[in-house]
Amino acid sequence: EEMGIKDVCSVVEKTPEIIGTISIENMKEHFQYLKDLGIEDVGGFIERRPNFLTRSPETSKNIVTYLESLGVKNVKRIVTKLPSIFETSIPNMEEKVSYFRDLGIDDIGKVIEKLPQSIGTLSISNLKKHVGYLEGLGVRNIAKTVVRNPKVLSFSIENMNKHVIYLESVGVRKDRIGKIVEKTPGLLGSVSIENMRVHVEYLESLGIRDVGKVIERTQGVLTYSIQRMEKSVKYLKDAGFNDIGSLIQSFSSILCLNIENNLKPTVEFLIDVGYDVADMEKFPMSVLFSLEQRIKPRFAFIGNERPTNRSLNVILGPGDYNFATRICGYPDENQYQVFKMQFLEEQASVTT
């Protein structure tokens, strides 16, 4: 009771040896060790895993030391989320760590922090089964995919298959599934099919004809809040953009832009230098380029006004070399690069 255990009877029923074979000194040592790890509700922890008191304090310390050696920075979080980690032998963990390294995963600590079960309750055979399934989908970089979202190793394979079938049903090509999973592994489990369906219906309501291609290009459209996308669409309509469906069909990442920090300042700047929304609709990429890193330096270089007979595609489309040599007529890009560097330094000094 001094440990904060509320249901003592339940703890004793689960682990009767606590009463006879474990000394009070031993229990106090366990209690203090959990406190030292930062566990606030030690009583609740023991009620969940009373077997913890039957283990050698030294064994528990060795497990924590091993986790820290793998790069785990927040052991408290691991222990709180998965108390049974103390019941996992170090040789068992080492086997899984060896497998992760064979897959090319370097940041194992990060994987464990995101999914403690990866080194605890998930069996090596289960991990291999999941990796095999991902490879079958066409995922080439397993390591990158797992580090991005380790939960992909814990999703039900049956459920993941349902998600894949749904994505294909809305037009995502089978040979693109692997690449989509690499970029957004959560689509196989963290996002429900019903939630994806709601997003697809919203995109179709905007007049997007091929939702599958939009998803292939910008997987985030299935994870953004619809309220956020609605705000972006409203801004575009209010600004004077007409064919929103075609715009998003070709440049779906426009829905990712923050209105106040990205979209609105870019549109307003381009209007200030002499272009209109019709010009932007002809070259939608113009509002996707970095305002500070690409758009402003180029217009500053040519005098901050619209050149005669020069479309946005001509000014913003080419790389720096072609912009300097073919558009501005310089023998090489050095003059523009020097100007751009000085311009960015001046802008940075103004903002600071």
Side-chain angles (χ1 to χ4, degrees), residues 87 94 120 207 316 330:
E87 298 168 24
E94 288 175 333
L316 300 176
Y330 289 95

Side-chain angles (χ1 to χ4, degrees), residues 177-189:
I177 295 289
K179 186 171 288 187
I180 288 174
V181 173
E182 283 185 15
K183 292 181 178 178
T184 317
L187 286 182
L188 290 185

Side-chain angles (χ1 to χ4, degrees), residues 179-236:
K179 186 171 288 187
I180 288 174
V181 173
E182 283 185 15
K183 292 181 178 178
T184 317
L187 286 182
L188 290 185
S190 297
V191 182
S192 70
I193 291 177
E194 182 55 36
N195 190 277
M196 287 196 285
R197 184 176 290 114
V198 170
H199 281 68
V200 167
E201 289 173 354
Y202 174 69
L203 293 172
E204 290 175 337
S205 73
L206 297 176
I208 295 174
R209 297 178 298 279
D210 193 339
V211 174
K213 283 189 177 178
V214 170
I215 295 170
E216 290 175 5
R217 193 179 297 115
T218 311
Q219 297 78 43
V221 295
L222 292 180
T223 60
Y224 303 146
S225 76
I226 289 182
Q227 290 78 11
R228 173 182 170 179
M229 291 193 286
E230 285 175 336
K231 288 180 181 178
S232 296
V233 169
K234 183 180 185 305
Y235 173 76
L236 291 169

